[in-house]
Amino acid sequence: MIIRFTLDKLTTRLAFLLVTLPLIVLLVWLTISHFIIGVMADTRAEVAPDVLAAAAGYFPASPLLHARLAEAELADAISPEEAAASAEAHAAQAIRLSPQDYRNHLLLASALEARGETAAALEALRTAVRLAPNYTEVHWQLANLLLRSDQVAQSLAEFRTAAALDRSRLKPTLDLIFNATEGDIRSLELVTGEGMTERLGLAQFLLDHELADEAVRVFRSVSHQTQLSSPETGQFLNSLIARNRYELAYDLWSALVSRERQLPLIWNGGFETDVSSSLGQFDWSLKESEYAWAGISIGEGRGGSRALRIDFAGRDTTRLSDEIRQMVLVRPGARYRLECYARAAALETPEGPRVVVSSGNTELAASPPVASGDQDWMLLTTEFTAPRDAAAVFVNIRRTPKFSYDAPTRGTVWFDDFKLTPLEPGAALSERQ
């Protein structure tokens, strides 16, 4: 009985092994196959086309291997026609095995285009778009093929969708359409769409191509809130200024910072408005200096609650050049009077700071220096004639040493109530249109 029990147990185990062994072998084979296919199909790995072809022969039901082989043949083709035909066959096989994978249709389109079958390539790309409508690349490839096949009007919608899905595509899209249409503004606007941020990008693009008037028109179509909140606005204004389009830049800037139709020639002369970091083109610019700290002081103003305060660091040969200044629009050749008020506390200096009007590297005029010691508010004035070749000048607060060395400057100076007045008719800026 013991022997019979042992034989029965052994028979049961043997039968179990005979049943499960094929399953184990199949599982091992599937695991190895999956690993091999995964390695071969990984685009990060460099695999020769002949190795991929051999793998596809071993695993003919793998859409990943057929797709990778088609991609490799297109990339490494020595004979483009022959490679494209083979790539087309493998891409078609990948589609038969995995018809819902849009990437296989992109590969088929590339192979078809390489063989000159543009209409079939476009159909493959449209299928990819239907399968993956929210993927930038499918719209981008369809748009480019439409453009290459001289179907510019049809390409615009696809370009617009691609740029909407990925804003980084807008600039290359505009470059392509600009060249293809010889700068047709309507086509550029169609491909940009109605998005406010995108229209700011179009405005900058047009300005970069020296189409300033069209650029400003597009910029004006952008909502006021988008203009205020977008960093592209400051870039656009700076670009206008760099092209000496001062009046255009000022007109746009003034509409952003104030509702008034005509602003004073010096903006924020009493420092009652916070200095803007992004829209400071015609506002005060306060930069760091190793010789002094400059900032807006509250509760110490002359005409209002605020004033510009400068605390000198007490370093020898104190110099202030362009750290504190404002760009001001003027009429070329017109004459102006500049005035402001200054006071000092415990000011020790060989010579105090001055208010200077400059154009380029030339000082046009300078006020008397602020006197040393403790001084109540004192009026500083100067007059100047705007250069005939300049539409803007700078109002600076400067302290220039007379010699290569002078004694340290210490103490505090306040400036307030800047005012620029034209001294002849026609010198004032016109109202904003």
Side-chain angles (χ1 to χ4, degrees):
M1 291 182 64
I2 295 174
I3 294 174
R4 183 178 177 182
F5 174 78
T6 304
L7 288 174
D8 289 344
K9 189 174 182 181
L10 182 61
T11 301
T12 302
R13 290 184 176 180
L14 183 60
F16 176 77
L17 286 174
L18 290 174
V19 172
T20 59
L21 185 59
L23 296 176
I24 294 172
V25 171
L26 177 61
L27 180 61
V28 171
W29 171 248
L30 290 174
T31 302
I32 294 173
S33 301
H34 181 75
F35 174 76
I36 294 173
I37 291 171
V39 170
M40 293 291 181
D42 190 345
T43 55
R44 295 172 297 180
E46 292 186 8
V47 183
D50 56 341
V51 176
L52 287 170
Y58 279 112
F59 306 104
S62 170
L64 292 177
L65 281 176
H66 285 287
R68 180 72 196 282
L69 181 54
E71 184 179 12
E73 287 176 332
L74 287 171
D76 300 331
I78 298 175
S79 172
E81 295 80 7
E82 182 180 344
S86 178
E88 178 187 346
H90 286 290
Q93 179 66 5
I95 290 172
R96 283 191 289 272
L97 295 168
S98 183
Q100 300 303 310
D101 191 335
Y102 75 95
R103 294 169 296 182
N104 297 333
H105 296 274
L106 292 181
L107 282 170
L108 178 60
S110 297
L112 289 167
E113 185 186 4
R115 296 187 64 189
E117 299 181 21
T118 302
L122 286 171
E123 186 56 37
L125 287 172
R126 290 190 175 99
T127 301
V129 167
R130 288 194 294 272
L131 292 172
N134 296 320
Y135 279 69
T136 304
E137 192 60 32
V138 293
H139 293 282
W140 181 254
Q141 289 198 26
L142 176 55
N144 275 274
L145 183 52
L146 286 167
L147 188 63
R148 287 195 295 273
S149 58
D150 295 326
Q151 301 180 57
V152 178
Q154 294 89 329
S155 74
L156 299 181
E158 298 300 330
F159 274 123
R160 182 170 63 246
T161 302
L165 291 169
D166 180 1
R167 281 191 59 200
S168 68
R169 302 289 178 118
L170 180 59
K171 176 60 168 58
T173 293
L174 293 173
D175 283 326
L176 287 169
I177 300 304
F178 186 86
N179 292 326
T181 65
E182 297 182 348
D184 180 66
I185 303 300
R186 179 58 180 161
S187 295
L188 292 170
E189 291 193 89
L190 284 173
V191 82
T192 299
E194 298 300 321
M196 295 293 101
T197 302
E198 288 75 12
R199 291 190 70 78
L200 275 180
L202 174 59
Q204 183 64 54
F205 177 86
L206 293 171
L207 186 56
D208 290 341
H209 286 76
E210 307 304 329
L211 298 170
D213 293 333
E214 289 292 345
V216 169
R217 179 185 62 79
V218 173
F219 182 89
R220 291 185 192 278
S221 73
V222 176
S223 70
H224 185 77
Q225 185 56 45
T226 302
Q227 291 175 353
L228 284 175
S229 61
S230 176
E232 284 86 352
T233 295
Q235 178 186 348
F236 184 76
L237 296 176
N238 291 336
S239 296
L240 282 172
I241 292 170
R243 289 167 171 77
N244 297 322
R245 302 301 295 266
Y246 294 101
E247 290 194 22
L248 275 177
Y250 182 82
D251 191 46
L252 297 176
W253 174 87
S254 61
L256 288 168
V257 301
S258 175
R259 295 180 181 273
E260 299 294 328
R261 291 194 59 82
Q262 188 170 14
L263 303 185
L265 296 183
I266 289 189
W267 169 251
N268 202 15
F271 302 96
E272 299 301 316
T273 302
D274 290 338
V275 176
S276 173
S277 58
S278 58
L279 292 174
Q281 286 74 21
F282 299 95
D283 200 348
W284 292 103
S285 171
L286 307 178
K287 298 179 181 179
E288 292 185 0
S289 168
E290 60 180 308
Y291 297 103
W293 175 89
I296 308 301
S297 177
I298 300 176
E300 297 182 307
R302 173 185 173 273
S305 63
R306 296 181 172 192
L308 173 67
R309 174 171 175 161
I310 303 174
D311 292 297
F312 289 96
R315 297 190 60 179
D316 60 64
T317 322
T318 295
R319 179 182 296 276
L320 289 178
S321 298
D322 295 326
E323 292 88 350
I324 306 168
R325 67 177 188 172
Q326 180 179 142
M327 183 188 297
V328 179
L329 252 61
V330 292
R331 297 298 186 202
R335 190 155 182 80
Y336 294 87
R337 173 186 173 88
L338 173 65
E339 64 180 47
C340 70
Y341 288 83
R343 73 181 180 93
L347 181 61
E348 300 177 16
T349 179
E351 183 174 280
R354 301 170 181 264
V355 177
V356 175
V357 180
S358 64
S359 176
N361 296 322
T362 302
E363 289 193 1
L364 304 176
S367 73
V370 177
S372 299
D374 296 317
Q375 305 290 339
D376 200 357
W377 290 109
M378 65 189 80
L379 176 66
L380 301 178
T381 65
T382 188
E383 295 182 4
F384 67 95
T385 300
R388 294 194 175 277
D389 60 350
V393 298
F394 282 99
V395 174
N396 313 262
I397 295 177
R398 290 183 174 177
R399 200 275 162 179
T400 304
K402 289 188 174 181
F403 307 103
S404 59
Y405 171 87
D406 65 11
T409 295
R410 299 183 176 87
T412 303
V413 177
W414 291 263
F415 290 89
D416 202 1
D417 294 339
F418 281 79
K419 183 179 179 181
L420 185 63
T421 306
L423 297 180
E424 54 192 58
L429 295 178
S430 61
E431 289 188 352
R432 194 164 60 237
Q433 298 300 315

